[in-house]
Every structure is written in structure tokens, then in C-alpha cells.
């Protein structure tokens, strides 16, 4: 099913300090109008979330946490919980490959984080994807299958409504090696098939699936036109407000609403 609303997420990773983040938001809000057909989500570092939450116009952009811990509170030095992010963010990235591979997050951690996000009214954007080695060994679909099963084990059909899945092949992240349209189409199809197997055909149609990996303003429209792709998760090309706005424009088809000050 083609969703009416495209989702464009900018994952800034560990870039932009608080001052730069605030200037970015100011600049982006000047360039981008409110579009009813595009949900624009910004994922700054945790440090900037609170101040941006006071600055952002939620009719224009939403905020996502890049990471959080799955316990709600307690003796967990250095962590921030989904409970503490309630009311500050609307979305949270879960299972990004940098968290899986650099910070050794396990399927269990990811499963607990998906549940913690939902428990706290935050929509999880569950990132899954195979490494270059797994791709060359022909294991892409097995990896997607295992990562989905692992992350969604405790999630009911009703809760699944809150989940967004992002297909991010690890080999395409941060290196300009974007996946081919046929790679993305077949991966997204496999994801929906697995969701159908777990939750039924309706859920498989309804779930929103994004692509991420070296997306640029030049490639955005082609990915957005692929069957089953509901949006994009953008890293490097989201770091410049003007370049990111060019990607947002590609997702916007009509229904522009004058910006309210
Ligand atoms: P790049 O767009 O820089 O490849 O990063 C993708 C990504 O990891 C977004 O979460």
C-alpha cells in the first residue's frame, strides 16, 4: 500500500553542537514549508533534543532520539531513558547498525528498546540491514528475517502500528555506495513478507518502510518511487539544511500549507 505521507528522517549522528543544531533548525524552518504529505523528522544528538524541542514547530518538523536505554529509570550511569524523552521526542531510532556494530547492541537490547519506546509513547524507527559480507554470502533475507523476529518478539499487532522499519544495508552507509533500486525493492518486499507472516496481510500493507544508505538529493526521488518505500533515512546529506531541504522537496507532491509563524 502506498502511504499518503512520506517520511524523511535526518540522522545527524554525532555531528552539530547545540548552537549549530539551533541554527540549522532555524534555517531549515525558513526554507521548508509545512507539507501535509511529508513527515520530516530530525534526529540530533541527545544533548540538543531538549532545546530543539522548545524551538521546533511540531506542525513543521518532529524530533527523534538517536538512542536511549530501555529501562525507565534507575542505577544506569550515563544513560537516558525513553521515559525521560517522553514529550521531547515523537520518534526514536532503534537498532541502527552503528549501535549494533560499534556499541555491540544485541537483538535482546533492540527488542527491549522497541518495547520501551512504545511503552513511553515514542514511535520506534527500527533499523535493520545486512553487512557487505552477509550480502556477498547471499544471507540478506536471513539477516532481515532474524533482525525483525528478534526486535518484534514482544510486540502485539496493536503495538506494531507504532513501528516504522528502516532498511539500511550496512555496506551502503556513509560511503556513497547507495543500494540499487532492485536491491531495495527486494529487501522491502522481504520485510513486508515477514511482517505478513508474523502479523497478517493487513499489517504488512500498513507498516511504513524506509530506505537509508548514502541517499542524496539526486537519488531521493528514485528511491521514493519504488514500490513499498514510504520514506528515507538520511545521514550525511541531512547535515546541511539546504541539501536536506532538497530531499524533502522530492518527497512533497502537493498540498503545501503556508508556514505559520
Ligand atoms: P548516510 O546517508 O550518511 O549513508 O547514513 C545513513 C544512515 O546511517 C542514516 O541513519
Amino acid at each position: 500500500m502506498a502511504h499518503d505521507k512520506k517520511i524523511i528522517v535526518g540522522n545527524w549522528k554525532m555531528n552539530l553542537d547545540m548552537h549549530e543544531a539551533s541554527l540549522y533548525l532555524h534555517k531549515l524552518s525558513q526554507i521548508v514549508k509545512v507539507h501535509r504529505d511529508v513527515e520530516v523528522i530530525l534526529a540530533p544528538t541527545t544533548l540538543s533534543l531538549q532545546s530543539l524541542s522548545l524551538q521546533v514547530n511540531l506542525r513543521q518538523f518532529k524530533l527523534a532520539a538517536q538512542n536511549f536505554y530501555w529501562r525507565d529509570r534507575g542505577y544506569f550511569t550515563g544513560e537516558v531513558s525513553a521515559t525521560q524523552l517522553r514529550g521531547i521526542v515523537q520518534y526514536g531510532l532503534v537498532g541502527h547498525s552503528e549501535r549494533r556494530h560499534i556499541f555491540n547492541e544485541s537483538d535482546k537490547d533492540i527488542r527491549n528498546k522497541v518495547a520501551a519506546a512504545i511503552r513511553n509513547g515514542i514511535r520506534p524507527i527500527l533499523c535493520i540491514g545486512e553487512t557487505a559480507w552477509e550480502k556477498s554470502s547471499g544471507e540478506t533475507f536471513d539477516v532481515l528475517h532474524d533482525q525483525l523476529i528478534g526486535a518484534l518478539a514482544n510486540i502485539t499487532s496493536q503495538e506494531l502500528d507504532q513501528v516504522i522499519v528502516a532498511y539500511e544495508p550496512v555496506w551502503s552507509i556513509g560511503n556513497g555506495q547507495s543500494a540499487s533500486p532492485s536491491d531495495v525493492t527486494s529487501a522491502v518486499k522481504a520485510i513486508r513478507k515477514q511482517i505478513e507472516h508474523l502479523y497478517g496481510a493487513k499489517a504488512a500493507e500498513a507498516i511504513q518502510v524506509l530506505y537509508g544508505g548514502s541517499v542524496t538529493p539526486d537519488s531521493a526521488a528514485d528511491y521514493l518511487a519504488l514500490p513499498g518505500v514510504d520514506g528515507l533515512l538520511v545521514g550525511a546529506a541531512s547535515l546541511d539544511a539546504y541539501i536536506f531541504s532538497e530531499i524533502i522537496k522530492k518527497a512533497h507532491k502537493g498540498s503545501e500549507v503556508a508556514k505559520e509563524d
Side-chain angles (χ1 to χ4, degrees), residues 38 48 57 67 71 80-81 125 128 160 169 194 199 202-203 226 246 254 259:
V38 189
S48 300
N57 171 0
N67 183 39
R71 297 270 192 197
V80 173
S81 70
I125 301 173
I128 60 175
L160 187 76
Q194 184 59 28
Y199 295 96
K202 261 197 181 153
L226 295 176
E246 291 296 305
K259 189 161 64 75

Short mmCIF file of all heavy atoms in Angstrom, two decimals, residues 38 48 57 67 71 80-81 125 128 160 169 194 199 202-203 226 246 254 259:
data_model
loop_
_atom_site.label_atom_id
_atom_site.label_comp_id
_atom_site.label_asym_id
_atom_site.label_seq_id
_atom_site.Cartn_x
_atom_site.Cartn_y
_atom_site.Cartn_z
N VAL A 38 4.28 15.16 3.80
CA VAL A 38 5.63 14.74 4.21
C VAL A 38 5.80 14.93 5.72
O VAL A 38 5.50 16.00 6.25
CB VAL A 38 6.74 15.57 3.52
CG1 VAL A 38 8.11 14.95 3.80
CG2 VAL A 38 6.52 15.68 2.02
N SER A 48 21.11 17.98 22.24
CA SER A 48 20.36 19.09 21.65
C SER A 48 18.85 18.90 21.69
O SER A 48 18.10 19.81 21.34
CB SER A 48 20.76 19.28 20.18
OG SER A 48 22.13 19.56 20.08
N ASN A 57 8.65 23.89 15.67
CA ASN A 57 7.22 23.95 15.42
C ASN A 57 6.80 22.54 15.00
O ASN A 57 7.16 22.09 13.91
CB ASN A 57 6.96 24.97 14.30
CG ASN A 57 5.52 24.94 13.82
OD1 ASN A 57 4.70 24.16 14.32
ND2 ASN A 57 5.22 25.79 12.84
N ASN A 67 19.14 7.41 20.21
CA ASN A 67 19.37 6.27 21.10
C ASN A 67 18.76 6.57 22.46
O ASN A 67 18.53 7.74 22.80
CB ASN A 67 20.88 6.05 21.26
CG ASN A 67 21.19 4.85 22.11
OD1 ASN A 67 20.51 3.82 22.03
ND2 ASN A 67 22.19 4.97 22.97
N ARG A 71 15.47 0.63 30.11
CA ARG A 71 14.85 0.71 31.44
C ARG A 71 14.29 2.12 31.61
O ARG A 71 14.82 3.07 31.05
CB ARG A 71 15.91 0.49 32.51
CG ARG A 71 16.55 -0.88 32.47
CD ARG A 71 15.78 -1.86 33.32
NE ARG A 71 16.54 -3.07 33.51
CZ ARG A 71 16.02 -4.21 33.93
NH1 ARG A 71 14.73 -4.30 34.20
NH2 ARG A 71 16.76 -5.28 34.08
N VAL A 80 20.13 7.63 29.21
CA VAL A 80 18.89 8.43 29.16
C VAL A 80 17.78 7.48 28.74
O VAL A 80 17.95 6.69 27.81
CB VAL A 80 19.03 9.57 28.12
CG1 VAL A 80 17.71 10.29 27.92
CG2 VAL A 80 20.11 10.56 28.55
N SER A 81 16.65 7.54 29.44
CA SER A 81 15.59 6.56 29.15
C SER A 81 14.53 7.15 28.23
O SER A 81 14.39 8.37 28.10
CB SER A 81 14.92 6.12 30.45
OG SER A 81 14.15 7.17 31.00
N ILE A 125 11.74 3.70 15.23
CA ILE A 125 12.15 3.51 13.83
C ILE A 125 13.21 2.41 13.89
O ILE A 125 14.36 2.65 14.26
CB ILE A 125 12.71 4.81 13.23
CG1 ILE A 125 11.65 5.91 13.29
CG2 ILE A 125 13.18 4.57 11.78
CD1 ILE A 125 12.15 7.29 12.86
N ILE A 128 17.21 -2.10 10.26
CA ILE A 128 17.73 -3.44 10.00
C ILE A 128 18.50 -3.42 8.68
O ILE A 128 18.26 -2.57 7.83
CB ILE A 128 16.61 -4.51 9.95
CG1 ILE A 128 15.60 -4.20 8.83
CG2 ILE A 128 15.88 -4.60 11.28
CD1 ILE A 128 14.54 -5.28 8.66
N LEU A 160 2.30 -2.87 16.85
CA LEU A 160 3.04 -2.80 15.59
C LEU A 160 2.66 -1.54 14.79
O LEU A 160 3.48 -1.02 14.03
CB LEU A 160 2.78 -4.05 14.73
CG LEU A 160 3.66 -4.13 13.48
CD1 LEU A 160 5.08 -4.55 13.86
CD2 LEU A 160 3.08 -5.10 12.46
N PRO A 169 21.07 -1.12 4.46
CA PRO A 169 22.17 -2.06 4.27
C PRO A 169 23.46 -1.43 4.78
O PRO A 169 23.80 -0.30 4.43
CB PRO A 169 22.21 -2.27 2.76
CG PRO A 169 21.35 -1.21 2.15
CD PRO A 169 20.48 -0.64 3.21
N GLN A 194 7.76 -10.88 5.73
CA GLN A 194 8.00 -11.34 7.09
C GLN A 194 6.96 -10.76 8.05
O GLN A 194 6.47 -11.45 8.95
CB GLN A 194 9.42 -10.96 7.52
CG GLN A 194 9.83 -11.46 8.88
CD GLN A 194 9.76 -12.97 8.96
OE1 GLN A 194 9.91 -13.67 7.96
NE2 GLN A 194 9.47 -13.50 10.14
N TYR A 199 2.22 -11.02 11.39
CA TYR A 199 1.06 -10.22 11.83
C TYR A 199 -0.10 -10.18 10.84
O TYR A 199 -1.10 -9.54 11.10
CB TYR A 199 1.50 -8.76 12.09
CG TYR A 199 2.48 -8.61 13.22
CD1 TYR A 199 3.85 -8.56 12.97
CD2 TYR A 199 2.05 -8.52 14.54
CE1 TYR A 199 4.76 -8.43 14.00
CE2 TYR A 199 2.96 -8.39 15.58
CZ TYR A 199 4.31 -8.34 15.30
OH TYR A 199 5.21 -8.21 16.33
N LYS A 202 -2.80 -7.42 6.37
CA LYS A 202 -3.15 -6.00 6.59
C LYS A 202 -1.97 -5.25 7.21
O LYS A 202 -1.64 -4.13 6.81
CB LYS A 202 -4.35 -5.91 7.54
CG LYS A 202 -5.64 -5.70 6.83
CD LYS A 202 -6.68 -5.19 7.80
CE LYS A 202 -7.99 -5.01 7.07
NZ LYS A 202 -9.14 -5.14 7.96
N ALA A 203 -1.37 -5.88 8.21
CA ALA A 203 -0.23 -5.26 8.89
C ALA A 203 0.94 -5.07 7.92
O ALA A 203 1.64 -4.06 7.95
CB ALA A 203 0.21 -6.12 10.08
N LEU A 226 9.98 3.80 -5.51
CA LEU A 226 9.98 2.33 -5.50
C LEU A 226 8.76 1.80 -4.77
O LEU A 226 8.34 2.37 -3.76
CB LEU A 226 11.25 1.80 -4.82
CG LEU A 226 12.57 2.11 -5.52
CD1 LEU A 226 13.75 1.62 -4.68
CD2 LEU A 226 12.61 1.46 -6.90
N GLU A 246 16.35 19.88 -0.08
CA GLU A 246 16.18 19.39 -1.45
C GLU A 246 15.61 17.97 -1.45
O GLU A 246 14.83 17.60 -2.32
CB GLU A 246 17.53 19.41 -2.20
CG GLU A 246 18.05 20.80 -2.50
CD GLU A 246 17.13 21.55 -3.46
OE1 GLU A 246 16.87 21.01 -4.55
OE2 GLU A 246 16.66 22.65 -3.10
N GLY A 254 2.37 17.89 -3.31
CA GLY A 254 1.34 18.94 -3.44
C GLY A 254 1.02 19.47 -2.08
O GLY A 254 1.91 19.61 -1.27
N LYS A 259 3.41 28.56 5.72
CA LYS A 259 4.03 28.40 7.02
C LYS A 259 3.45 29.37 8.03
O LYS A 259 3.23 30.54 7.73
CB LYS A 259 5.55 28.66 6.87
CG LYS A 259 6.32 28.32 8.12
CD LYS A 259 7.78 28.14 7.79
CE LYS A 259 8.42 29.41 7.29
NZ LYS A 259 8.69 30.40 8.28
#
